[in-house]
Amino acid sequence: MITVEKSDPLSSESHRLIEALSAELAAITGDNGKTNFTVEAMNNDKALWALAKNAYGDAIGCGAIRPLTQNIAEIKRMFSDRSEPGVGSALLTFLETSAKQMGYRELKLETRHINHRAVSFYEKNGYVRIDNYGPYIGREEAVCFSKILF
């Protein structure tokens, strides 16, 4: 059983997962992904940090949403240690539901073309490719996605 809940991005569990994600991204893409996310970005009423936990209460995944505009949020730092199936889906469902409850109408995100697992995951979950936005404009290695929240 996987549970997902709002959490403290400064907790040791969160730090461990952020570092594991950064190491995995560096191995896949050559970039740890830290330049476009800071934990301080979570100090906003319209931001949310979440942890996924297994039946034993161990943190096995993380993810965040942060505001881009009043109606659009960005998904950041999505990660599953893959110790159990369904972690990514549970996190994404929680983030999408939370975003709707917070008044967002759309979610955007960026990943890298070379990160085939992430690209497939987002496409499978209804995200569509869009033109690169914000800091990703002009970056050929980046691929951006969007999903309208109903």
Side-chain angles (χ1 to χ4, degrees), residues 10 19-20 41 46 54 61 80 92 118 121 136-137 139:
L10 297 173
E19 290 304 311
K46 296 273 287 182
N54 64 19
S80 163
L92 191 59
F121 173 77
Y136 313 111
I137 294 172
R139 296 189 58 191

Side-chain angles (χ1 to χ4, degrees), residues 23-82:
E24 188 166 302
L25 288 175
I28 295 169
T29 69
D31 181 345
N32 65 18
K34 289 184 177 183
T35 55
N36 289 307
F37 177 81
T38 62
V39 172
E40 292 75 30
M42 296 293 93
N43 291 333
N44 182 310
D45 290 343
K46 296 273 287 182
L48 173 75
W49 177 259
L51 288 180
K53 296 186 176 185
N54 64 19
Y56 304 103
D58 300 322
I60 56 174
C62 60
I65 53 174
R66 69 175 181 190
L68 287 177
T69 70
Q70 183 175 346
N71 298 317
I72 302 170
E74 183 178 33
I75 294 177
K76 299 298 290 182
R77 306 316 277 177
M78 274 281 293
F79 177 71
S80 163
D81 70 5
R82 293 186 293 284

